[in-house]
Amino acid sequence: MPAALRQRLAELRGPAAAPRPLDARALAALAANPGCRRRALLDGAGVDKTALASALGSPSGFGQSQFAFMRGNAFEARVKADDGVELLRLLGVAEPGEVRVPDLSAAGPEGRTARTALALREATAAGAWTLLDHPMLALEVAGSPAYLEPDAVVVGPDGRWTVVEIKSFPMIDGAADAAKVGAAARQAAVYVLALERVAALTGGARVAHSVLLVCPRDFSNQPAASPVDVRKQLSVTRRQLARLTRVEDIAAALPPDITFDLEGRSPEQLAEAVEAVPHAYAPECLSACELAFHCRERARREGAVEALGRSVRGELGGLTTVGAVLAAARGDGDTPGSGEAGDPEGGPGDPVVAALRRAAALRAESLRGASCR
């Protein structure tokens, strides 16, 4: 990263604030909404979005209880016990023999990334089962480096690298919650994408596109596993991350005095700084972004149709506000740029307006029928 950009990002988050590292969950959320420049900039600058949301008066509901955190750590330790023998059994290897578990410790994320790459190359050349416990991978996103730490990566004797995702949600009767599995698959796809960069420089290596999802069996602490094909998520993630506007381009478009430093700034000043960066709110952001409540409030205040969902926004064409939609449905004469009363700039034959008026007529007819009964 150029020194000038590094300095600008430090000014944006505040000179005294330590940068928050990008993780796979954040990258998966970025890939799901690549048009949101606000999140791309805040994540690229390492801004603490949780603290920023609280300072804006719209705290997020993110977080994990201490009990859940401890339970998750205990379950992960159980899965990786006996130098990974139990984990390889879940992978379908009955007699793995001796399992190599290399030491991946090093100074800083750059050092750990280099040590992981070396361990992957050595494991592939050795041709033996190897378990990498919490390796460190690197991926460049919108011009900023992101350091990722999967739960584990297993290297097989044939040179295949398999990502292991260990989650604390249960797998009941062999199946887990579909929404949670989908979120885990999107997160794992980021790890696979980062691993592919290393495998491209390693002879004889190939990255499996099927990750191993490990969860507690039913309501016990016994591990159960299921392979999850992430080829679709991998393709979407690769395409969406490539579409992200580079962080330096977003920062260059901002006034030079804009900063998200929490020290000595009022909620109004912070809100002004946040609103200077375009966003792309959608209801899906509520489960993926700490600033979702703040962005939702602004979208509702402006009457933006994005607050109703991306599918609704796509169906409404040139109508960008709820007020314009209602005016078009009623045929009011106050819709700007109309060809006739209530029509958007597309003209009197706009199919969106015709569909809205048809829906309004059906609703009115239904209400009249209900009142008669």
Side-chain angles (χ1 to χ4, degrees), residues 13-17 55 259-266 269-270:
R13 69 173 174 269
T259 179
F260 306 104
D261 189 0
L262 304 183
E263 294 295 329
R265 282 172 175 76
S266 65
Q269 291 173 316
L270 290 173

Side-chain angles (χ1 to χ4, degrees), residues 139-177:
L139 192 64
E140 184 175 304
V141 180
S144 296
Y147 295 100
L148 315 171
E149 188 177 352
D151 293 326
V153 172
V154 174
V155 179
D158 58 351
R160 184 173 61 177
W161 303 352
T162 302
V163 172
V164 179
E165 271 290 277
I166 303 174
K167 297 297 184 182
S168 58
F169 55 81
M171 191 175 292
I172 301 174
D173 292 335
D177 180 87

Side-chain angles (χ1 to χ4, degrees), residues 289-329:
C289 183
E290 295 85 345
L291 285 177
F293 293 131
H294 173 81
C295 297
R296 180 179 65 176
E297 178 187 353
R298 292 298 192 275
R300 287 177 172 176
R301 184 183 304 174
E302 297 168 0
V305 296
E306 287 84 355
L308 303 176
R310 293 193 182 99
S311 60
V312 176
R313 174 68 187 91
E315 293 288 342
L316 292 175
L319 300 173
T320 59
T321 65
V322 175
V325 172
L326 295 177

Side-chain angles (χ1 to χ4, degrees), residues 76 80 104 112 116 132-136 148-153:
E76 181 175 335
K80 297 176 180 177
L104 303 179
R112 289 187 59 198
T116 295
L132 275 65
D133 188 4
H134 284 285
M136 183 68 74
L148 315 171
E149 188 177 352
D151 293 326
V153 172

